[in-house]
Amino acid sequence: MLKEIERKLPVVHMCTIVPISLTVGANRIVPTIAIPHPLGDPTRTREEEKALRRSLTEKALEALQTEITEQTVFEMK
Amino acid sequence: MAFRVVHYINQFYAGIGGEEKADHQPEIREGVVGPGAAFKGAFKADAEIVATVICGDSYFASNLEEATAKIIDLIKPFKPDAFVAGPAFNAGRYGTACGAICEAVSKQLGIPVVSGMYPENPGVDMFKKSHYIIETPDSAAGMRKAVPAMAALLMKLLKKEPLGKPEEEGYIERGIRKNKFYDKLAAERCVDMFVAKLKGLPFETEYKMPVFDRVLPQPAVKDMKNAVIAIVTSGGIVPKGNPDRIEASSASKYGEYDITGVDDLSSDGYRTAHGGYDATYADEDSDRVIPVDVLRDMEKEGVIKKLHNKFYSTVGNGTAVASSARFGAEIADKLVADGVTAVILTST
């Protein structure tokens, strides 16, 4: 799915199992929290969770704005 | 004396539980558990499963290195002569785990290893170079076909018998080249092949070219403030009731859902249709899978121009690569037609 979209539009893959994403051929990858809740963390408060999701989404936008020539994983600091 | 074999299975095949137990930490039990019984039958008196390692799929996938190290430590005291994992059929996390642990055991313990997977399992591309993976059907219905082939290959490796070609032994090609003497010179063989090709007759290459299935990265988004961002997911988020009836596994379709005026995905309105992970957290708050709330905030703040008013969703769970490619191509065309600038694709 991802590669077919990348043929037409820039796409960032937000996922937890980065090795699979690399094998599948995603070019811009942002590692996420966990398989059942990639963009959340139920152990935190709703506000903390949203802040976490915000920072991951900001990382995704940063990835989309970064010129790359090969597969790149954009790790959270 | 029978060879000593250790077997790796996930929490599901151990009878511990499904997705709700996918965080199960690695443990080892003496003797046969679950599908080990079938291996026991296939090995007859030649080999014995002395222990079975069990690990939850999500635990392994989320803690690759730690899980691998723990499992190696669990296996060592049993002094195995060989190691077998799965079969994992088309289960992605299970296949990844089987592949990773086989690779580690082979490297660190230096014993023969075999796993079994369906060719589209992501574990195949990741680990086919490191060990022999028997090609299996896509579901556990193929257990009776998979186990004898895995057992036979493992016995050959243990007895150091020469292996035939992938199609003879039933394993997935590893890309290993072996030197061999022919009566005919290379030039003659080459011309023979060429003539066969021209005549439309079957011929077998001696050196397959690798398939490079890569798409070049698109240029970066220059002006995010004027960008329209769309969300696509394989995490199965759908309006409550799953109006398109997207299948919980092996999805044959995707859904297109209008989120005009939706600022936050509440548990009243959205759910996941995905049957391959514990749905508790996604059902409570689907923003945990697709960040609609955050992108709406960014839209209001002017970080992006717009969150596209439709999102696209399917279930990435044993879904055929061909279906997935078709979904992607169709979605991409729609997004381009709607003036979308870039895509955030989330996976679970």
Side-chain angles (χ1 to χ4, degrees):
Chain A
M1 191 154 73
L2 193 133
K3 269 187 297 202
E4 295 305 318
I5 294 174
E6 180 99 82
R7 289 184 208 280
K8 306 267 170 69
L9 290 170
V11 52
V12 55
H13 193 202
M14 305 187 78
C15 64
T16 303
I17 316 179
V18 173
I20 291 188
S21 181
L22 287 166
T23 303
V24 167
N27 288 320
R28 293 178 169 89
I29 302 167
V30 173
T32 52
I33 308 298
I35 294 161
H37 45 82
L39 298 173
D41 180 352
T43 65
R44 304 190 190 200
T45 66
R46 284 297 165 107
E47 290 71 31
E48 287 170 349
E49 236 193 318
K50 193 170 173 188
L52 177 70
R53 179 154 60 249
R54 170 93 187 200
S55 59
L56 284 162
T57 308
E58 282 170 355
K59 183 57 82 173
L61 295 186
E62 180 193 319
L64 287 170
Q65 292 173 90
T66 307
E67 293 293 355
I68 55 168
T69 52
E70 58 186 12
Q71 291 187 299
T72 308
V73 179
F74 295 83
E75 297 275 358
M76 295 295 294
K77 297 222 172 60
Chain B
M1 203 189 73
F3 290 110
R4 299 169 62 83
V5 178
V6 171
H7 185 205
Y8 176 88
I9 58 175
N10 69 1
Q11 85 288 350
F12 176 75
Y13 284 99
I16 293 169
E19 286 306 326
E20 77 286 0
K21 299 287 184 191
D23 279 324
H24 191 80
Q25 299 239 349
E27 60 157 311
I28 195 158
R29 296 187 195 167
E30 274 188 46
V32 163
V33 180
F39 280 102
K40 191 178 173 184
F43 286 143
K44 300 197 179 71
D46 291 340
E48 181 192 2
I49 293 189
V50 290
T52 304
V53 186
I54 300 153
C55 179
D57 283 337
S58 287
Y59 178 82
F60 198 103
S62 312
N63 307 277
L64 276 174
E65 284 170 23
E66 191 190 321
T68 305
K70 273 190 187 172
I71 290 168
I72 294 278
D73 286 343
L74 290 173
I75 296 170
K76 270 186 191 163
F78 286 88
K79 298 191 170 54
D81 300 307
F83 184 78
V84 62
F89 305 106
N90 199 21
R93 282 166 303 161
Y94 189 21
T96 308
C98 287
I101 196 67
C102 278
E103 180 178 84
V105 168
S106 169
K107 273 190 188 153
Q108 295 180 36
L109 306 184
I111 57 174
V113 299
V114 168
S115 67
M117 300 179 209
Y118 182 64
E120 285 189 6
N121 192 313
V124 168
D125 270 351
M126 292 162 82
F127 297 107
K128 68 180 175 189
K129 284 194 178 144
S130 71
H131 70 290
Y132 292 101
I133 304 172
I134 288 285
E135 179 173 339
T136 72
D138 64 351
S139 79
M143 187 69 84
R144 274 172 29 192
K145 196 173 164 218
V147 168
M150 291 169 70
L153 185 66
L154 194 67
M155 288 315 301
K156 277 197 166 183
L157 293 169
L158 273 166
K159 293 178 178 170
K160 299 193 167 55
E161 291 172 12
L163 291 191
K165 289 182 180 175
E167 55 272 26
E168 293 159 16
E169 306 285 351
Y171 63 86
I172 292 170
E173 192 173 284
R174 297 178 60 188
I176 294 172
R177 277 194 287 162
K178 280 195 174 171
N179 286 323
K180 181 177 166 182
F181 286 104
Y182 287 89
D183 294 331
K184 278 188 177 177
L185 289 174
E188 290 178 75
R189 302 199 304 275
C190 175
V191 172
D192 286 349
M193 253 186 253
F194 186 57
V195 171
K197 186 173 184 175
L198 288 176
K199 285 182 177 169
L201 296 173
F203 64 95
E204 195 183 354
T205 177
E206 291 171 21
Y207 183 40
K208 281 190 192 168
M209 297 308 290
V211 181
F212 291 108
D213 187 21
R214 285 284 179 259
V215 177
L216 289 176
Q218 288 281 346
V221 176
K222 300 282 185 304
D223 182 7
M224 194 53 84
K225 285 185 165 47
N226 280 307
V228 179
I229 302 295
I231 298 171
V232 179
T233 186
S234 64
I237 301 302
V238 292
K240 200 171 173 181
N242 190 6
D244 294 312
R245 296 181 179 272
I246 297 177
E247 300 90 340
S249 70
S250 304
S252 66
K253 55 195 142 185
Y254 61 91
E256 174 188 272
Y257 301 112
D258 196 317
I259 43 169
T260 308
V262 177
D263 291 339
D264 190 5
L265 303 181
S266 69
S267 59
D268 298 332
Y270 295 87
R271 281 281 184 278
T272 180
H274 203 295
Y277 65 90
D278 183 346
T280 314
Y281 313 106
D283 285 351
E284 261 173 27
D285 181 359
S286 295
D287 293 299
R288 285 168 173 159
V289 179
I290 55 172
V292 170
D293 57 349
V294 162
L295 285 165
R296 280 288 182 230
D297 289 350
M298 289 174 158
E299 183 182 58
K300 288 190 190 105
E301 294 161 21
V303 176
I304 59 172
K305 185 180 168 204
K306 197 170 164 359
L307 168 62
H308 186 46
N309 62 359
K310 290 176 196 134
F311 78 86
Y312 292 85
S313 177
T314 190
V315 165
N317 181 22
T319 303
V321 173
S323 307
S324 170
R326 176 173 62 80
F327 304 162
E330 288 180 17
I331 292 168
D333 286 342
K334 291 180 186 185
L335 295 176
V336 170
D338 283 346
V340 166
T341 316
V343 177
I344 292 178
L345 194 154
T346 69
S347 290
T348 47

